Amino acid sequence: MKFDTPAGTNPIDNLKVVGQPLDRIDGPHKTTGTATYAYEWHDAFPSPAYGYVIAAGIGKGRIASMDIEDAKAAPGVLAVVTAKNAGRLGKGDFNTARLLGGPEIQHYHQAIGLVVAETFEQARAAAQRVRVQYDRGRGAFDLALAKPSAKRPTNEAKPDSAVGDFERAFEEAPVQLDETYTTPDQSHMMMEPHASIAHWDGDQLTLWTSNQMINWGRGDVAKTLGIGRENVRLISPYIGGGFGGKLFVRSDAVLAALGARAARRPVKVALPRPMMANNTTHRPATIQRIRIGTTRDGKITAIAHESWSGDLPGGGAEMAVQQTRFLYAGANRKTTTRLAVLDLPEGNAMRAPGEAPGLMALEVAMDEMAEKLQMDPVEFRILNDTQVDPEDPQRPFSQRQLNTCLSEGAERFGWKQRNAQPGQVRDGRWLVGMGVAAGFRNNLTTKSAARVRLDRQGMVTVETDMTDIGTGSYTIIAQTAAEMLGVPIERVVVKLGDSSFPVSAGSGGQWGANSSTAGVFAACDKLRRAIAEKVGLAPDDAVFADVQVRFGDRIVPLAEAAADGDIVAEEAIEFGDLAKKFQQSTFAAHFCEVGVDVATGETRVRRMLAVCAAGRILNPKSARSQVIGAMTMGIGAALSEELVVDKRLGFFVNHDLAGYEVPVHADVPHQEVVFLDEVDPMSSPMKAKGVGELGICGVTAAVANAIYNATGIRVREYPITLDKLLPKLPPVQRA
Ligand code: MOS
């Protein structure tokens, strides 16, 4: 089904099931421990072998020698896989060839082997017996030092943009801001580590794995191992978090497959937590320079955003300038993206790549500019709203309610109470402040297919390779099918995350909710027609409600329609050139109140509010969960999260959850989430968008701006840890 804009009235608009705050249908499986995560297919494999990854001990260089004889002779060992005996790996679409390194070492903890043994403990013990000698090479590990050598990336669609004459307009602007901000490397640190079980049946490989994008994964496993995609099956029905870290096949999957081939046994491999930070991908650090010029009354006339990040040779840039192309008006503008070669582990997508770190800089710059103008930061943003793409004024936004998010948020949060003068509000030992930031994330749409089946019990089964990474995909897909076929949600069975199912959009870039349900919509539309024809009704007349199909006097229970055999339909939604006609984006306003301990510099977030405009909200309960999770992640980015780089040896030092600090319950205050009433008929037949990434976009800057309002201290290097505040806090009066 090709999606033609705008979407007309359709059965989803009944909103009997869609739009309702229903509990997750997968919840009971997860809370009772019956959801099978990648490492947990105990019934399918009562006696698998275990693989333990050997990871490189240097950041850059070569293996001079690798002695595996002792390991091979260790108790229980079945095989030791290395680059030498595994043969050359193919280059997948996402740099999979380096998932098994040697003799060249490209980054610290790059996998250089796998020990397979009867038990996990035997595999781990034997791995200690592998003796590796390295020739350490010279690597580049410091973004600030590498910055002058950074180049325009060749593999990004649009690294730079320019409209008007920025330099001149900036020079002429009566009010100017020119500041540089830094964001650190960050780790996804999802709860479930990367894990896979591999099983070969002849030349057929099945991988039970934890992966957000089944179809990408299937293709890359095939290319890496040099086998046909028809010989690869990926199964990933439950995923304990991904945040972008599981968009791509990682070493656990490739090594499990190689280990299983060598040992002629099913092999399971999980990355130990201390290996995750350096063996897998991370969000790259950035250096961002922002310049804004305005008139005296606060109209932006010039805005420039330049960003630098690093990655391994051939890698990609963090597109931190993305939102600056769209968020505010201004006739003269430019954005540039530069990429340096760094020999740190691979940088890649993490929840809202581009916008999340980009807004950490832009929305602090906007706060600083408002202060220069002596304007309220909410009003300054509202004044500079644009309803068209500022780089291409012929393209309107399909929907844009940023100003409503800001004004409604200000009202609900009690923004009027904020003292514009920083450092003035005290509550005992706490310096108290409020901050605001705009949230922005693009809305991408991607082809997505599904298969639906009506059986003689009147049950509806949906199959698609879509994944649920903790986001609620199972539930919104069930809601969609229930609405389309006029049945209660209890009558829908949803099967996800299997490459034998039709190819979906997958979970990435917050496109999953809208695109995958639109695919289910398309398949259900086709099924409705097939059912109508079966019972002798005109497809356009048939009404689906109360587990019946009917028109006029003719009423047929769905079970009866399928009495002599299942009725099945498979269809995909395709979006055509939608993105060219309209700029599709989601918007939010984030408000935050913090207290900063006047003596210790400790920041506590006291309350938060997000007002979001993101099209139709398919399930307000699961959408809210997405946003509060993202707000929590935004607190982490503001206050604690940082992969600390050892710049001499080239690795991330704090590689576990003891050293990489994410917020815990006690760090998270009252969070309120409001969704504006919005439907976007340009986005899909569902008229929905995504919120999973929008939720984090802007949060971190709101926290930073609140800290400034509380203390009068502007920290431009994230995270805002107490050591950066302490020297500038006012002297404490001692009793
Ligand atoms: Mo996302 S960072 O595309 O999972």
Side-chain angles (χ1 to χ4, degrees):
M1 175 190 284
K2 190 169 176 306
F3 173 56
D4 281 321
T5 53
T9 302
N10 67 52
I12 298 296
D13 296 321
N14 292 334
L15 298 181
K16 285 191 184 135
V17 194
V18 170
Q20 301 304 316
L22 301 182
D23 289 345
R24 280 162 186 257
I25 60 172
D26 52 325
H29 297 299
K30 292 182 172 174
T31 51
T32 57
T34 53
T36 35
Y37 289 87
Y39 207 70
E40 297 178 334
W41 294 82
H42 308 306
D43 295 339
F45 301 103
S47 56
Y50 292 79
Y52 196 87
V53 174
I54 308 164
I58 61 168
K60 170 96 176 158
R62 282 180 68 85
I63 296 173
S65 68
M66 186 167 179
D67 181 353
I68 60 172
E69 293 311 313
D70 262 12
K72 277 165 78 177
V77 170
L78 301 166
V80 180
V81 176
T82 67
K84 242 184 191 161
N85 61 33
R88 202 165 179 77
L89 298 186
K91 188 170 170 355
D93 294 335
F94 301 102
N95 290 318
T96 46
R98 62 174 176 241
L99 296 178
L100 177 60
E104 297 299 325
I105 301 299
Q106 288 147 304
H107 66 85
Y108 185 77
H109 271 184
Q110 181 175 24
I112 54 171
L114 184 81
V115 177
V116 181
E118 293 287 349
T119 69
F120 172 78
E121 289 76 11
Q122 287 173 332
R124 182 177 58 183
Q128 313 304 318
R129 296 199 188 190
V130 174
R131 279 186 299 276
V132 188
Q133 302 287 333
Y134 298 100
D135 289 332
R136 197 185 289 277
R138 285 168 62 92
F141 307 122
D142 186 334
L143 177 61
L145 288 180
K147 180 174 172 255
S149 68
K151 298 200 168 48
R152 190 166 188 267
T154 51
N155 53 0
E156 299 292 346
K158 187 178 166 187
D160 298 353
S161 65
V163 174
D165 185 346
F166 167 78
E167 298 293 343
R168 184 165 158 188
F170 181 69
E171 191 149 309
E172 289 171 358
V175 189
Q176 299 172 335
L177 170 123
D178 181 354
E179 290 293 353
T180 296
Y181 307 84
T182 63
T183 65
D185 297 287
Q186 295 176 343
S187 179
H188 310 86
M189 284 291 173
M190 69 297 278
M191 286 288 282
E192 180 205 25
H194 303 257
S196 298
I197 304 177
H199 172 58
W200 290 91
D201 183 2
D203 58 0
Q204 296 289 313
L205 170 66
T206 305
L207 271 170
W208 287 261
T209 189
S210 187
N211 190 293
Q212 298 174 222
M213 299 293 296
I214 297 302
N215 192 49
W216 291 1
R218 182 189 201 182
D220 252 13
V221 168
K223 285 181 180 172
T224 310
L225 300 177
I227 58 179
R229 19 172 324 117
E230 66 284 0
N231 294 343
V232 178
R233 183 170 170 202
L234 254 61
I235 300 177
S236 187
Y238 296 103
I239 298 168
F243 308 119
K246 293 173 182 168
L247 286 168
F248 318 107
V249 168
R250 304 313 308 170
S251 58
D252 57 295
V254 169
L255 289 174
L258 293 171
R261 189 152 69 185
R264 300 173 184 281
R265 285 268 292 275
V267 167
K268 58 203 290 188
V269 177
L271 293 182
R273 178 70 59 182
M275 235 178 250
M276 284 168 61
N278 287 281
N279 180 268
T280 72
T281 61
H282 66 280
R283 190 202 297 284
T286 64
I287 299 170
Q288 300 179 50
R289 180 188 186 197
I290 295 181
R291 284 175 287 168
I292 305 175
T294 66
T295 61
R296 291 221 183 276
D297 54 2
K299 283 266 189 196
I300 295 174
T301 53
I303 183 164
H305 193 159
E306 298 157 88
S307 176
W308 292 263
S309 63
D311 201 4
L312 286 163
E318 181 67 30
M319 291 299 298
V321 303
Q322 224 151 238
Q323 70 292 317
T324 309
R325 295 173 179 166
F326 300 108
L327 198 45
Y328 300 112
N332 303 286
R333 46 202 310 130
K334 73 168 190 182
T335 62
T336 63
T337 305
R338 292 294 175 266
L339 176 65
V341 170
L342 286 182
D343 299 298
L344 290 169
E346 177 185 341
N348 215 315
M350 178 166 145
R351 202 175 199 168
E355 282 97 320
L359 285 158
M360 287 165 74
L362 177 66
E363 286 301 286
V364 172
M366 288 295 285
D367 199 66
E368 298 201 56
M369 198 65 196
E371 190 184 32
K372 279 178 191 273
L373 290 158
Q374 295 187 297
M375 278 183 81
D376 181 273
V378 172
E379 281 167 25
F380 177 49
R381 288 176 172 86
I382 288 175
L383 179 70
N384 287 289
D385 185 51
T386 172
Q387 290 294 314
V388 295
D389 173 355
E391 290 189 354
D392 182 3
Q394 305 307 314
R395 279 174 79 233
F397 285 92
S398 62
Q399 295 275 343
R400 177 169 166 132
Q401 297 200 69
L402 174 60
N403 283 2
T404 312
C405 292
L406 285 161
S407 54
E408 180 156 345
E411 185 66 36
R412 285 173 181 262
F413 200 68
W415 184 251
K416 274 203 306 277
Q417 257 93 84
R418 172 180 177 268
N419 188 329
Q421 185 72 26
Q424 301 301 306
V425 181
R426 278 290 282 268
D427 175 9
R429 65 191 170 108
W430 301 101
L431 294 162
V432 179
M434 291 189 207
V436 65
F440 173 96
R441 175 68 174 161
N442 272 330
N443 180 59
L444 303 171
T445 48
T446 305
K447 180 179 175 182
S448 196
R451 183 161 55 224
V452 282
R453 179 192 316 273
L454 173 68
D455 68 23
R456 69 186 69 186
Q457 276 78 46
M459 293 292 289
V460 176
T461 301
V462 184
E463 293 171 329
T464 165
D465 83 355
M466 179 61 187
T467 50
D468 188 325
I469 62 175
T471 39
S473 311
Y474 277 103
T475 312
I476 56 173
I477 284 172
Q479 288 174 275
T480 303
E483 194 80 67
M484 288 298 286
L485 294 162
V487 302
I489 194 167
E490 294 76 21
R491 283 197 174 248
V492 181
V493 175
V494 179
K495 296 183 177 176
L496 300 182
D498 186 329
S499 62
S500 67
F501 299 153
V503 174
S504 74
S507 296
Q510 86 168 8
W511 62 62
N514 179 50
S515 296
S516 75
T517 54
V520 173
F521 171 96
C524 288
D525 182 72
K526 197 169 179 183
L527 182 64
R528 283 166 60 110
R529 289 169 187 280
I531 295 168
E533 264 164 35
K534 184 78 197 287
V535 302
L537 289 172
D540 290 326
D541 294 340
V543 174
F544 288 78
D546 310 318
V547 206
Q548 298 168 337
V549 53
R550 61 188 182 224
F551 182 68
D553 294 346
R554 179 142 172 74
I555 299 175
V556 183
L558 288 182
E560 200 175 295
D564 53 357
D566 293 359
I567 308 176
V568 186
E570 183 174 333
E571 181 60 293
I573 190 90
E574 289 183 73
F575 290 91
D577 61 354
L578 187 58
K580 290 194 199 100
K581 285 191 273 188
F582 293 95
Q583 177 54 36
Q584 297 249 345
S585 304
T586 59
F587 297 89
H590 288 285
F591 292 82
C592 173
E593 182 182 290
V594 302
V596 178
D597 188 304
V598 71
T600 67
E602 174 192 4
T603 298
R604 306 294 303 182
V605 178
R606 293 157 68 112
R607 57 194 184 98
M608 306 176 91
L609 164 67
V611 182
C612 304
R616 171 177 280 154
I617 300 303
L618 299 172
N619 180 328
K621 187 179 280 187
S622 56
R624 177 178 177 276
S625 291
Q626 281 297 290
V627 177
I628 63 174
M631 290 160 85
T632 303
M633 216 162 166
I635 297 175
L639 300 180
S640 62
E641 288 187 47
E642 173 178 21
L643 285 169
V644 178
V645 182
D646 183 317
K647 291 170 184 168
R648 301 156 307 155
L649 299 176
F651 68 101
F652 298 129
V653 179
N654 51 340
H655 51 203
D656 58 25
L657 284 168
Y660 187 85
E661 293 179 355
V662 299
V664 297
H665 280 90
D667 297 317
V668 182
H670 180 70
Q671 295 171 312
E672 202 184 335
V673 180
V674 175
F675 295 108
L676 294 187
D677 201 5
E678 181 175 292
V679 288
D680 192 338
M682 304 302 175
S683 68
S684 81
M686 304 302 293
K687 303 168 189 173
K689 291 178 182 171
V691 296
E693 296 188 328
L694 175 68
I696 193 174
C697 291
V699 179
T700 306
V703 177
N705 293 339
I707 291 172
Y708 176 75
N709 183 243
T711 63
I713 304 167
R714 189 66 81 178
V715 178
R716 299 185 185 86
E717 293 173 1
Y718 290 101
I720 307 175
T721 44
L722 49 80
D723 53 297
K724 295 173 189 169
L725 296 169
L726 211 45
K728 295 177 190 158
L729 283 169
V732 180
Q733 312 281 319
R734 288 178 207 283

